[in-house]
Amino acid sequence: MAKNQVVELDPFEDWNPHDKQIEVMESQAKNNVLNCGRRGGKTNVGARKFYDYILADIERGKGLPFKPPKNLKKMKKPKPRLEYWCISPTYAMSEIQQEEISATIPEDAIEKWDSSKNRVWLKGFILIQFKSADNPKTLVGKGLDGVWLDEASKMKPETWSGYLSYALADKDGWSIWTTTPEGINWFAEEIVLKGQFIDAGLEEGQYQNDPDWRNFYWTSLDNPIPELQRNILKMMDTYPKRYVDREIRAKFNVFHGQVYDEFSRGVHVVRMRCLDETMRLYEVTFPDGSKRDIQMRRFIGGMDHGWNDPAVLLVIGCTGEDYFIVEESYEQHVNVLIVDEQGNMEDCLVKRYKELHDRYCFDVIWADPAEPEYISTYQKYELPVQAADNAIGPGIKEVSSLYKVKSGSGRPNLYVNSSCKNTIKETEAYKWKEKKKNGQQTDDPEDKDNHTQDSKRYAIYNDRRETTGFAFG
């Protein structure tokens, strides 16, 4: 084919970019880094910038002269004239890149889309491959003409420093980065700081102003689609402030101090008195002194295993949209199961938890999945214990959203009974890690003061996932 056949096609004819996206398309920098809020259109423009740079390589004759392989359809690994990679943290996430690439590249420019091998051949022996950064060692061994890394801040640092930077150096290749920040990690310090200052929470004096690197920064609010803006405003009312700052305003430096900084005794700690155990009816006295009779629709539990560390079972009442931590079992050095020679159960966690189950009739008890033998023991004695999804970041976000006071109602959706002393104490003491060993900030909590916090997260995160399909996208 003629070298400019693909160039004559216009892949952007029906695309209506917003102002920030236009700035990206006008950039001539070798490396373009887009740090943006969610739903801001970064992946949408990333695909178009990726293809635009491929067209530029073709137009200037990169990769020529080229001797085409004789049997392209039969060869397992034919050598391309130009090769580009689209990289996501996982193969599942790469589907987003593939969808955007499919919507960008004209059908007339495609020789073959081989979905089974996660690759696309463009006419002219030009190869695009979709890769996962889950195991960076698989990204070794090839010289590349260009790469597009989507959600790059979620990747491991060696993805770039150990592999891709060398692969691009072999062929003087370019890079495109599209991401929402994940704290001050390697992406912030090794990639963003190469370019020009952006007001995203990093110190201005640290930026290197390398002319080969161009930073772009915008928030979710910069995408003017009316329906999207309505959703963003709703999310800002629902998200805790630090998640708004990171995921909507695309700031790096927001996770520090108390994990649940929305929590306040003057807002979330209530006094609860059971009026009718059979009807699950409680008199609740709120911090402002007001009282309401509240009927729980159901009870769920959150369980954290322990020996030297305390074993915890939280009893959580659910009214529909609201959660009340009603009671806590918080015990050290208590065996899971003790049965005497006559088969009688002695004092142990199974016995204590069965007594709680007799009172509350749990729908389910979500437990730390790390001890499957304990879960099996509880199930054997007819306790409704299930292994929880132990997702720390999403779980904390879900709990935080319930602690947040909503502007519409003027109240939160999660309360703690004043008798749950350990839950209250640990909620106030639960902190983010300040530094990793390499000096980078992190979005991980400290591994202490977390026994009730893990139990709470197991119960609420898994319950919300099953009953509401998650509060957050």
Side-chain angles (χ1 to χ4, degrees):
M1 58 177 282
K3 77 174 185 179
N4 64 345
Q5 183 175 339
V6 175
V7 181
E8 292 173 355
L9 303 170
D10 184 1
F12 314 118
E13 185 176 2
D14 298 321
W15 182 47
N16 296 309
H18 58 67
D19 291 346
K20 299 290 186 178
Q21 292 173 319
I22 292 173
E23 291 180 13
V24 173
M25 296 304 296
E26 291 176 344
S27 171
Q28 300 297 313
K30 185 176 181 180
N31 305 282
N32 292 278
V33 181
L34 285 62
N35 181 72
C36 313
R38 298 202 182 283
R39 305 299 304 278
K42 61 185 181 300
T43 307
N44 179 265
V45 70
R48 284 151 181 82
K49 188 65 174 176
F50 177 76
Y51 187 50
D52 189 54
Y53 270 14
I54 292 176
L55 295 179
D57 284 348
I58 295 170
E59 190 171 27
R60 66 188 178 90
K62 188 178 183 182
L64 295 176
F66 175 72
K67 184 177 181 180
K70 295 181 179 180
N71 298 304
L72 176 62
K73 295 182 179 180
K74 294 183 179 181
M75 293 180 67
K76 291 184 178 180
K77 294 183 178 180
K79 181 181 178 181
R81 168 189 159 190
L82 301 171
E83 183 169 354
Y84 306 91
W85 284 4
C86 297
I87 305 166
S88 291
T90 65
Y91 273 119
M93 295 178 72
S94 77
E95 292 179 2
I96 299 172
Q97 282 185 307
Q98 295 191 44
E99 289 172 1
E100 291 291 349
I101 289 292
S102 176
T104 298
I105 300 179
E107 290 186 11
D108 291 345
I110 297 174
E111 183 73 39
K112 181 182 180 182
W113 192 299
D114 190 346
S115 57
S116 65
K117 296 182 179 179
N118 292 300
R119 67 187 185 187
V120 183
W121 282 97
L122 303 185
K123 292 178 180 178
F125 304 99
I126 296 162
L127 178 62
I128 300 172
Q129 297 208 63
F130 297 94
K131 296 284 187 176
S132 166
D134 184 54
N135 181 4
K137 292 181 180 180
T138 63
L139 304 176
V140 70
K142 290 220 175 190
L144 297 172
D145 297 285
V147 296
W148 170 28
L149 300 94
D150 191 39
E151 295 299 347
S153 59
K154 296 181 183 297
M155 298 178 189
K156 299 172 184 176
E158 58 267 30
T159 300
W160 174 253
S161 60
Y163 302 99
L164 294 180
S165 61
Y166 297 106
L168 291 173
D170 287 347
K171 300 176 72 173
D172 193 29
W174 43 263
S175 67
I176 296 167
W177 307 68
T178 54
T179 195
T180 298
E182 292 285 330
I184 303 179
N185 59 6
W186 73 273
F187 169 75
E189 296 189 332
E190 295 182 25
I191 303 303
V192 175
L193 290 179
K194 289 179 184 288
Q196 306 75 36
F197 173 73
I198 55 174
D199 188 16
L202 303 176
E203 294 182 17
E204 185 170 0
Q206 293 182 312
Y207 285 83
Q208 300 167 23
N209 294 305
D210 187 329
D212 283 340
W213 292 78
R214 173 77 186 276
N215 281 331
F216 295 88
Y217 167 71
W218 66 83
T219 75
S220 304
L221 295 167
D222 289 310
N223 192 339
I225 300 173
E227 182 178 354
L228 174 62
Q229 287 303 305
R230 287 192 293 270
N231 290 335
I232 293 298
L233 292 175
K234 183 178 179 181
M235 291 160 68
M236 292 178 71
D237 183 49
T238 305
Y239 275 38
K241 182 180 182 302
R242 62 186 175 280
Y243 292 99
V244 170
D245 286 343
R246 185 179 74 178
E247 300 183 16
I248 304 299
R249 297 194 174 99
K251 299 289 187 179
F252 286 100
N253 61 336
V254 294
F255 283 74
H256 52 83
Q258 186 178 355
V259 171
Y260 295 118
D261 56 4
E262 304 84 10
F263 178 81
S264 167
R265 293 185 184 225
V267 174
H268 301 95
V269 177
V270 298
R271 296 196 307 275
M272 303 184 68
R273 182 168 69 92
C274 184
L275 300 176
D276 190 317
E277 191 170 279
T278 303
M279 294 184 63
R280 300 176 172 178
L281 185 64
Y282 290 80
E283 179 190 75
V284 179
T285 303
F286 292 88
D288 62 2
S290 63
K291 295 182 179 182
R292 278 194 294 152
D293 290 350
I294 292 178
Q295 187 173 28
M296 305 300 171
R297 294 184 181 179
R298 57 195 175 89
F299 287 101
I300 61 173
M303 179 188 291
D304 194 37
H305 312 295
W307 176 254
N308 288 325
D309 288 332
V312 175
L313 175 58
L314 295 185
V315 180
I316 302 176
C318 311
T319 67
E321 62 178 2
D322 293 338
Y323 292 80
F324 291 82
I325 302 177
V326 178
E327 186 173 345
E328 64 180 18
S329 172
Y330 191 94
E331 304 291 347
Q332 288 179 281
H333 304 140
V334 179
N335 289 298
V336 172
L337 179 65
I338 303 176
V339 179
D340 65 19
E341 294 179 356
Q342 287 72 42
N344 298 313
M345 189 180 298
E346 298 183 1
D347 183 43
C348 60
L349 292 178
V350 170
K351 184 176 182 179
R352 296 184 186 190
Y353 293 168
K354 282 180 69 66
E355 290 172 354
L356 285 173
H357 186 42
D358 289 341
R359 289 173 51 202
Y360 292 103
C361 192
F362 294 103
D363 277 14
V364 61
I365 299 171
W366 294 104
D368 182 351
E371 302 289 350
E373 67 276 14
Y374 292 171
I375 294 174
S376 178
T377 299
Y378 292 125
Q379 290 173 343
K380 180 180 177 181
Y381 286 89
E382 299 182 342
L383 284 164
V385 178
Q386 293 188 32
D389 182 336
N390 183 22
I392 297 176
I396 288 175
K397 183 197 291 187
E398 198 71 28
V399 173
S400 297
S401 74
L402 298 180
Y403 275 135
K404 180 174 180 178
V405 176
K406 312 305 187 294
S407 61
S409 64
R411 60 180 183 83
N413 299 108
L414 175 58
Y415 299 91
V416 184
N417 193 352
S418 59
S419 65
C420 299
K421 304 296 185 183
N422 294 291
T423 302
I424 296 168
K425 180 180 68 175
E426 288 191 354
T427 302
E428 293 176 328
Y430 197 33
K431 306 291 185 182
W432 298 107
K433 289 180 181 177
E434 289 298 324
K435 297 287 183 180
K436 290 182 179 178
K437 290 182 179 180
N438 60 5
Q440 295 179 352
Q441 290 186 7
T442 175
D443 293 354
D444 298 322
E446 293 181 351
D447 189 18
K448 63 180 182 179
D449 301 314
N450 61 353
H451 314 296
T452 60
Q453 304 311 295
D454 287 348
S455 302
K456 174 174 59 181
R457 188 181 77 248
Y458 300 148
I460 289 176
Y461 177 68
N462 287 272
D463 186 70
R464 297 277 286 173
R465 184 177 66 171
E466 291 214 339
T467 59
T468 70
F470 292 114
F472 300 107

